[in-house]
Amino acid sequence: MQLHLSAKFLVSLWIPKSVAVGLVRFSDARVLGMIKNHALQKGDVLAVARVAGIMAVKNTSIMVPLAHNNVAVEGCSIDLSLIEPDDEDAAIVSQALEQQIGSCGGLKIQVICESTGKTGVEMEAMCGVVGAALTVVDMCKSVDKDITITDVKTIGKKGGKSGDWGIFAKE
């Protein structure tokens, strides 16, 4: 099941867009299977993490005191991808995020935020990643006490004073 905050705005407007990513690394091999089978006591980890990510995006100015208040986030997409330790994509994800996946697997989080406001939405995208990641830790900590959140970063921004950069640089 995918949950998204709908993007409803006029295409002709200036639309700031930011993409942030992060990685959650597991230290207990049981966690991946338990997430897949919805076997963790607190419920469906991926569904709750998506909702938490959207809530974090919408509450960025509360978590980051000097971030702009009430940024008009018009669209938000939260993508959560489980990564098996022996997955062929694990090496690619690991290299892109500059981190080892490890022998117990992990979870890649990507948040894309769009706005019709006059400011970028980098902080909103990064807060979405952190909110989703912290929720995964909270829901899995009964099984894995050493979960690590790593490599949270903005990988691209479109629009704004600094122009397009990262993954949007060549669009």
Side-chain angles (χ1 to χ4, degrees), residues 19-88:
V19 181
V21 295
L23 184 65
V24 178
R25 291 176 41 213
F26 303 125
S27 67
D28 187 319
R30 298 176 294 165
V31 175
L32 275 177
M34 293 178 82
I35 291 173
K36 288 179 193 174
N37 296 318
H38 307 288
L40 287 153
Q41 184 178 11
K42 290 190 175 185
D44 184 340
V45 174
L46 301 180
V48 176
R50 281 187 190 95
V51 172
I54 291 171
M55 289 177 67
V57 165
K58 293 174 80 170
N59 289 291
T60 296
S61 65
I62 293 169
M63 297 180 350
V64 183
L66 298 180
H68 291 282
N69 193 15
N70 297 324
V71 172
V73 176
E74 301 291 343
C76 176
S77 173
I78 312 277
D79 181 45
L80 305 174
S81 305
L82 289 171
I83 303 167
E84 300 284 344
D86 57 352
D87 190 338
E88 289 179 14

Side-chain angles (χ1 to χ4, degrees), residues 1-170:
M1 177 172 83
Q2 294 285 341
L3 297 172
H4 302 285
L5 182 64
S6 298
K8 295 181 181 179
F9 46 79
L10 299 174
V11 176
S12 62
L13 295 174
W14 174 68
I15 302 167
K17 184 176 192 176
S18 292
V19 181
V21 295
L23 184 65
V24 178
R25 291 176 41 213
F26 303 125
S27 67
D28 187 319
R30 298 176 294 165
V31 175
L32 275 177
M34 293 178 82
I35 291 173
K36 288 179 193 174
N37 296 318
H38 307 288
L40 287 153
Q41 184 178 11
K42 290 190 175 185
D44 184 340
V45 174
L46 301 180
V48 176
R50 281 187 190 95
V51 172
I54 291 171
M55 289 177 67
V57 165
K58 293 174 80 170
N59 289 291
T60 296
S61 65
I62 293 169
M63 297 180 350
V64 183
L66 298 180
H68 291 282
N69 193 15
N70 297 324
V71 172
V73 176
E74 301 291 343
C76 176
S77 173
I78 312 277
D79 181 45
L80 305 174
S81 305
L82 289 171
I83 303 167
E84 300 284 344
D86 57 352
D87 190 338
E88 289 179 14
D89 292 334
I92 296 167
V93 170
S94 175
Q95 185 178 30
L97 293 175
E98 301 168 5
Q99 188 70 22
Q100 295 295 322
I101 298 302
S103 61
C104 299
L107 175 73
K108 179 187 174 195
I109 302 169
Q110 177 176 285
V111 176
I112 302 172
C113 290
E114 297 172 310
S115 173
T116 55
K118 294 183 178 182
T119 183
V121 284
E122 309 94 306
M123 291 294 100
E124 286 72 16
M126 288 180 54
C127 280
V129 170
V130 171
L134 287 171
T135 299
V136 171
V137 171
D138 179 56
M139 294 183 74
C140 299
K141 68 185 178 193
S142 63
V143 176
D144 187 345
K145 306 286 189 227
D146 293 318
I147 299 172
T148 306
I149 299 170
T150 66
D151 288 306
V152 176
K153 60 185 174 184
T154 302
I155 60 169
K157 179 182 175 191
K158 186 173 189 168
K161 291 179 185 177
S162 60
D164 299 349
W165 57 270
I167 63 171
F168 299 114
K170 296 180 183 180

